[in-house]
Amino acid sequence: MEITELRNQIDQIDAQLVELFKKRMDVAANVAEYKRENNMKVLDASRERALLQKVSELSGEEFEDYTRTLYSTILDLSRSYQHKRLGTGSELSAIIDTAQTNTPKIFPERATVACQGVEGAYSQIATERLFKAPAIMFFSSFESVFSAIEKGLCKYGVLPIENSTAGSVKQVYDLMVSRKFKIVRSVRIKIDHNLLANNGAKLSDIKEIFSHEQAINQCSDFLASLGEGVKITRVENTAAAARMVAESGRSDVASISSRSCASQYGLSVVSPAIQNNGNNHTRFICISNELEIYPGADRTSLMLVTPHRPGALYKILSRFNALGINLLKLESRPLPDRDFEFMFYFDIEASVYSSKLPQLLAELEQECEEFNYLGSYSEVV
């Protein structure tokens, strides 16, 4: 038999499948109405397990796995359609609507903002990109930034969350699991690392270099070229490293820091732009205790815990696919009190004005073990 004839057969079968799928979805709509009238949840886990077992038996051993995969997708789509039919009148939707109404139409130019580090830190640069005239409070740790906001010492905090070459800032993600906060904006800044030393020092003089671990990783090629005779010491912040060098007065130590730290601490640039990749950017998030949603918000962040069973994450990802929502980032972090279980962090591309976003949130809220909406915001580039 020719390939054309085989494809014609498949086309005919597909036409029948589409008609049957439409009939099934019509029945699913009627099921949704019944659930509305009887105050029932969309997800009926026992019914789905029984159905999957039934179709597996009907399909026979050869096609059992394929059939379960097919019907798992069909059930996901059915639930999504039921949610759409029932509407998204959830408590979270009301909270988001209220936040949009109550948030000022323009992002503030002045605010008290918490940052990790000291004067000259990249967090300071990010803060000054977000706010025209911020009053910056510096803290020694990321945890202290969260605490400052929780205690009401400041309204906002700015934290690095990922770098284009070194990856995610794991410590910030771990803190995000346990702390309550909302993201109100993000900013992406270009990172140019420089080797700074006291005036008169030459590269051949340097025996020890101080910097933050992320900056060290981002400059690994340059550091490797210096040979084993140079000691690399990790400190809490790139700006703190520059200050240490300045205060030491020594000519045999240097820091990997921003160029602004050179003028801040009276240092010289021994080697400029020493990062591995010239296209080196870091994303910072601006967090607050209160949910604020400013006009133009087109990015949403979520944290959730899925049921601890095979295929649970796939079912979540299928929601994005079914609604045509682009996934910008997926990060997993272990839950500290559970063995081999994870909290998943998502950045999705979805306008806060889109009808698809409240539908997605309503579905995830019902079907995840834990669900946390972190905010909808725009990113400054």
Side-chain angles (χ1 to χ4, degrees):
M1 186 177 292
E2 296 292 330
I3 187 67
T4 303
E5 296 177 47
L6 295 172
R7 287 174 174 167
N8 286 337
Q9 289 183 28
I10 288 177
D11 289 344
Q12 293 173 17
I13 295 169
D14 284 344
Q16 297 174 48
L17 287 174
V18 169
E19 288 302 315
L20 290 172
F21 177 70
K22 289 164 60 179
K23 289 180 180 179
R24 194 186 194 286
M25 295 294 270
D26 286 339
V27 175
N30 294 332
V31 170
E33 292 304 319
Y34 181 88
K35 290 178 177 177
R36 185 205 305 274
E37 294 169 4
N38 292 273
N39 196 29
M40 297 170 63
K41 290 184 177 181
V42 169
L43 175 61
D44 185 341
S46 61
R47 159 66 179 168
E48 291 196 3
R49 283 195 299 271
L51 192 150
L52 288 173
Q53 181 61 33
K54 180 180 178 180
V55 297
S56 294
E57 293 171 357
L58 289 172
S59 63
E61 184 177 350
E62 183 175 359
F63 297 110
E64 179 180 357
D65 291 341
Y66 300 106
T67 304
R68 287 186 72 91
T69 300
L70 171 64
Y71 269 82
S72 291
T73 302
I74 289 174
L75 291 173
D76 288 339
L77 295 172
S78 176
R79 269 185 271 115
S80 180
Y81 187 49
Q82 289 182 51
H83 279 292
K84 182 178 180 180
R85 297 283 300 208
L86 293 174
T88 57
S90 66
E91 182 180 351
L92 177 56
S93 292
I95 291 171
I96 292 173
D97 290 342
T98 300
Q100 289 184 77
T101 301
N102 295 339
T103 301
K105 301 306 178 187
I106 299 175
F107 194 76
E109 293 186 346
R110 294 171 174 80
T112 302
V113 186
C115 291
Q116 187 266 346
V118 296
E119 291 284 348
Y122 285 108
S123 291
Q124 177 186 349
I125 298 171
T127 300
E128 290 172 347
R129 283 283 305 279
L130 289 166
F131 300 91
K132 184 176 181 180
I136 301 177
M137 300 176 65
F138 290 102
F139 294 89
S140 60
S141 68
F142 295 137
E143 185 173 10
S144 297
V145 173
F146 283 97
S147 296
I149 298 169
E150 291 171 350
K151 294 174 181 176
L153 298 177
C154 53
K155 187 171 183 180
Y156 301 105
V158 173
L159 296 158
I161 194 166
E162 66 175 322
N163 177 265
S164 57
T165 58
S168 300
V169 184
K170 304 295 186 184
Q171 187 181 354
V172 173
Y173 278 104
D174 289 340
L175 287 166
M176 288 165 62
V177 172
S178 58
R179 300 301 186 117
K180 302 298 181 184
F181 67 98
K182 299 299 179 187
I183 302 175
V184 299
R185 186 147 291 195
S186 64
V187 61
R188 182 154 45 99
I189 64 170
K190 190 174 188 304
I191 303 296
D192 281 313
H193 291 307
N194 304 272
L195 190 70
L196 308 183
N198 285 302
N199 293 330
K202 302 186 296 294
L203 181 60
S204 58
D205 298 329
I206 305 303
K207 302 302 179 186
E208 184 172 10
I209 296 174
F210 302 98
S211 197
H212 185 268
E213 184 172 8
Q214 285 265 336
I216 291 169
N217 292 339
Q218 293 163 27
C219 302
S220 58
D221 292 347
F222 172 82
L223 295 175
S225 71
L226 300 180
E228 297 181 358
V230 177
K231 180 182 178 182
I232 309 301
T233 301
R234 289 162 173 77
V235 297
E236 70 273 11
N237 186 269
T238 56
R243 187 173 66 181
M244 290 171 61
V245 170
E247 291 176 349
S248 74
R250 294 162 53 188
S251 61
D252 63 340
V253 295
S255 73
I256 299 174
S257 309
S258 67
R259 184 175 285 272
S260 63
C261 283
S263 56
Q264 179 72 40
Y265 296 107
L267 301 175
S268 298
V269 178
V270 177
S271 295
I274 61 173
Q275 64 271 10
N276 299 348
N277 192 332
N279 185 28
N280 186 17
H281 293 81
T282 294
R283 281 189 67 231
F284 292 80
I285 53 173
C286 180
I287 63 172
S288 175
N289 267 335
E290 304 298 326
L291 177 62
E292 298 177 352
I293 303 177
Y294 290 91
D298 57 2
R299 188 176 190 132
T300 292
S301 294
L302 314 167
M303 293 189 85
L304 53 88
V305 176
T306 63
H308 190 47
R309 58 173 179 262
L313 180 59
Y314 167 78
K315 287 181 177 295
I316 297 302
L317 295 175
S318 70
R319 297 290 183 279
F320 302 127
N321 183 53
L323 293 172
I325 293 176
N326 187 34
L327 179 62
L328 298 172
K329 182 173 179 62
L330 169 59
E331 182 79 21
S332 65
R333 298 301 301 152
L335 290 168
D337 55 343
R338 305 189 199 178
D339 291 336
F340 306 110
E341 293 192 47
F342 297 85
M343 172 75 78
F344 294 98
Y345 173 94
F346 291 87
D347 279 343
I348 60 175
E349 186 178 29
S351 170
V352 74
Y353 310 110
S354 168
S355 61
K356 293 180 179 180
L357 181 61
Q359 181 181 347
L360 172 69
L361 299 181
E363 293 181 25
L364 296 179
E365 206 174 6
Q366 287 196 27
E367 300 193 23
C368 295
E369 284 190 1
E370 297 178 29
F371 177 79
N372 189 8
Y373 167 76
L374 300 181
S376 296
Y377 53 95
S378 58
E379 182 163 289
V380 178
V381 179

